[in-house]
Amino acid sequence: MDPPPSPVMSGPGCPTRCCSFPAVQKRLPVLRWLPRYSLAWLQLDVIAGATVGLTVVPQALAYAEVAGLPVQYGLYSSFMGCFVYCLLGTAKDVTLGPTAIMSLLVSSYAFHDPVYAVLLTFLSGCVQLAMGLLRLGFLLDFISCPVIKGFTSAASITISFNQVKNILGLQGVPRQFFLQVYETLRRIGETRAGDAVLGLSCLLALTGLGAMKSGLGRAAGAEPLCTRVSYCIVWTSATARNALVVLCAGLLAYSFQVMGCQPFTLTGRIPRGLPAFRVPLFSKVTHNGTVPFSRMVQDMGAGLAVVPLMGLLETVAIAKAFASQNDYRIEPNQELLAMGLTNLLGSFVSSYPVTGSFGRTAVNAQTGVCTPAGGLITGALVLLSLAFLTSFFYYIPKAALAAVIICAVTPMFDAAIFRTLWRVKRLDLVPLCVTFLLCFWEVQYGIVAGVLVSGLLLLYAIARPPMKVELVVQPGSSLHFPAAEYLMSATPLLAAPTPGSVVLDCRHVSSVDYTAVLGLAELLHELRKQGLALTLCGLQVPSRPGSCCWHRHRRLLWRPNCTRATQHLESGLPPGPAATCCIS
């Protein structure tokens, strides 16, 4: 007789199964679509990648300004995600890079210091990678939609007003929101006419091109050639409007420079070439000495949790939205791995933390991208820009970049959410308003306070489940330890459908924890003092028949041989066959 197979070689964790091709495909999603890659896909991916590249370069320069970093750090942050996500990403549409939200968080937690920003990228990548490996993506579910909406709406206002100083050409305006509002209004008379005219013109041009793109239909193949060419020109101009406006503004500024006058505030000199590949600095040398790693971590504080979690949340939400729209599925934990490795490797090329961009992902999807390979073209364009175009970036007016940012973040403000929550569930307005208002003070206070308020509302719902008390006590949800005392106080001792009996209808109770069982035992003890029995009805089928929960001499017993499970709190009595049990 052949010996039985060894459990080491045949179990689910055996090396053979872990190294099988399906397992490798799961960790390297590129192996799923690469064998089927075709020339038709290549054409569409090249077009999509180039279009996104024309969008990301001006946005990267602008978002670095939001983060309070030199503009080249926006470009340093724009290419690593393109290459990593091509190998590890599960959504064909998503593009990773600097975003308005992440730039605002970096501004708050990195103190406008590149050394802090790069270290924050490294540590955020470690946190995200660990969450992916430990399959902790479910933690993102504890950040509720009202908190996210409150944060993004406040961020839209904060970021937009932060760029007003560049539109007006003001210098030395503080970055704290309330001080910024006061100082901008106080110094409104110092506005530079050139910057103001250019900034407003860029805003009008971007708004008009955006509206034009929204109103475009699809060109039919049967239409005349000239119509299709005109459609292509208009569509390309509208899609690459950021690059087009920045290019025109830069040429205008260069023309004034040649003539010997410069009415605009320019971006200034940018280091030419690619960033060096090096380990992030784990300490910082200052005039007063060296800031050690432990002090830097202490300075970043809550940012080490807020930045990676918000980055993951934004990316997964975008991936799910476009996966649903385009009829494919993503793997959230694999997305965590892709994000973590992107930030981890990005820190070696002086990147600040990145996440998925909704705007660029939308552009990617609308241009018909077929696979994540389109990101290779986008990343290549960013590298070419760093290698050859940094001398041109000197002449880009700050007012033009400010207009790009304002047009990008304005759609983030969701005014309708206040009216929607008022109609659907008014209590959700509490975390929304708390987050929204406190984010104007400090971003971290708004997010943390919103999450805490949401958690308290959630715990209150668990501790005070709806109780329908008539002749029958009917809990509206599962029974967990915060609700044990409430259940006892809400149960009427004398209301009974039959003489000497109180009925607990458990049809909505899908789980009961140990503390709630102790509460039921205590309730039974109190009822016995009144000469009453406790009747349980509508009990759910347990997940593991035959399991018991013991408390002294009373026990909760699952009957595996009943059509409907029977539970008994008893004192050594054999369980009865009925689905409704009476305990006395």
Side-chain angles (χ1 to χ4, degrees), residues 65-68 102-112 175:
E65 165 69 22
V66 176
M102 194 54 61
S103 299
L104 180 64
L105 292 176
V106 170
S107 173
S108 299
Y109 293 112
F111 318 109
H112 313 155
R175 300 184 73 91

Side-chain angles (χ1 to χ4, degrees), residues 450-475:
V451 171
L452 288 177
V453 170
S454 294
L456 289 175
L457 294 177
L458 178 64
L459 291 175
Y460 182 82
I462 295 174
R464 295 293 181 268
M467 293 280 184
K468 186 177 180 181
V469 181
E470 294 175 347
L471 294 178
V472 176
V473 180
Q474 186 183 83

